[in-house]
Amino acid sequence: MSERTIVHLMRHGEVHNPEGVLYGRLPEFYLSDLGHQMAVKAADFLSKHEIVHLVSSPLERAQQTAAPLATLLEAEVTIDPRVIEADNLFEGRTVGAEPKALAHPRNWWLLRNPFRPSWGEPYQDIATRMRAAVADARDAARGHEAVIVSHQLPVWIARQAFEQNSFVHDPRKRQCTLASITSLTFDGDDYVGFTYAEPAGDLLPDDLKAGKKFVGGA
């Protein structure tokens, strides 16, 4: 008889980034006060589930987001570099509140191929590493549930990979807001489907809800 296992992919909370830096994998970008509140809300939501395995990206914002849940569960956090933020050639640039600055002619070469994409880590590579990380988390939590705290693009690409959808997309339309949870359900090794929740949705700034606020990293 097959076992039902759920792997929850959680995006980290809001990061303190007043300059609008595209921080990507840069160190020393930490959760804001609001981000910590988001992490607590998400932890409370997940603590009601049968979580037996907890994983985090090595980046500080992800580990800080995982911390409240680890405390509630009295669990250790496994650091997995496979669930880190996507590599991005725009990393470290500051565009403030205007992401259209990236469309400056000096950046056209980097923007030449949105299908791969040409400005960063190939979507297929992200999918491969995320699928492997999810498989290991599923195996570690057989018959129970696991949580992986990661970043917007890796979570979104993982979801598209399991749903067998195209990776090409408009980043503004990703259903993966701050501290959101994309839950992948498996019957044995077979993927069954997903659910999506926003336990900290009431904490999202109005401009972010409306898609008007630029977020310098994912």
Side-chain angles (χ1 to χ4, degrees):
M1 182 177 179
S2 297
E3 294 178 304
R4 179 176 177 269
T5 306
I6 299 176
V7 179
H8 303 280
L9 303 181
M10 179 180 173
R11 185 185 173 194
H12 62 78
E14 183 187 68
V15 173
H16 179 67
N17 183 23
E19 301 301 322
V21 175
L22 288 165
Y23 44 74
R25 296 180 177 180
L26 294 175
E28 300 184 4
F29 278 90
Y30 303 101
L31 294 184
S32 65
D33 290 343
L34 182 61
H36 282 290
Q37 294 176 47
M38 291 176 172
V40 169
K41 279 222 167 190
D44 182 64
F45 175 87
L46 287 168
S47 68
K48 299 174 176 63
H49 293 253
E50 195 179 0
I51 309 298
V52 299
H53 186 61
L54 179 55
V55 178
S56 174
S57 156
L59 296 176
E60 292 95 334
R61 59 190 184 271
Q63 294 190 56
Q64 288 181 310
T65 302
L69 181 59
T71 298
L72 285 176
L73 299 177
E74 298 182 346
E76 293 186 5
V77 180
T78 299
I79 303 302
D80 189 340
R82 295 175 297 182
V83 302
I84 197 170
E85 175 63 288
D87 194 19
N88 192 318
L89 296 176
F90 288 115
E91 182 179 281
R93 298 194 188 186
T94 302
V95 297
E98 184 48 81
K100 290 182 180 179
L102 295 177
H104 189 279
R106 68 173 177 272
N107 296 323
W108 286 355
W109 178 249
L110 292 179
L111 298 172
R112 67 190 182 280
N113 183 358
F115 302 103
R116 186 178 185 265
S118 51
W119 59 82
E121 184 178 4
Y123 293 140
Q124 185 57 60
D125 291 359
I126 300 171
T128 297
R129 62 178 171 85
M130 287 297 292
R131 288 186 72 111
V134 168
D136 284 352
R138 179 198 63 212
D139 291 345
R142 287 281 180 185
H144 304 282
E145 302 180 35
V147 174
I148 297 175
V149 183
S150 184
H151 309 267
Q152 188 188 60
L153 182 55
V155 170
W156 179 254
I157 291 297
R159 170 174 155 179
Q160 300 313 299
F162 282 103
E163 286 289 298
Q164 298 184 13
N165 293 331
S166 170
F167 296 146
V168 181
H169 65 284
D170 181 341
R172 298 168 297 180
K173 297 181 179 179
R174 295 173 189 157
Q175 188 185 41
C176 187
T177 196
L178 294 166
S180 63
I181 298 168
T182 300
S183 303
L184 309 176
T185 299
F186 296 88
D187 181 13
D189 290 347
D190 297 328
Y191 173 69
V192 175
F194 77 94
T195 59
Y196 175 78
E198 297 180 359
D202 62 317
L203 296 179
L204 292 173
D206 290 339
D207 50 1
L208 185 57
K209 291 178 184 177
K212 296 178 180 179
K213 182 179 180 181
F214 171 66
V215 179

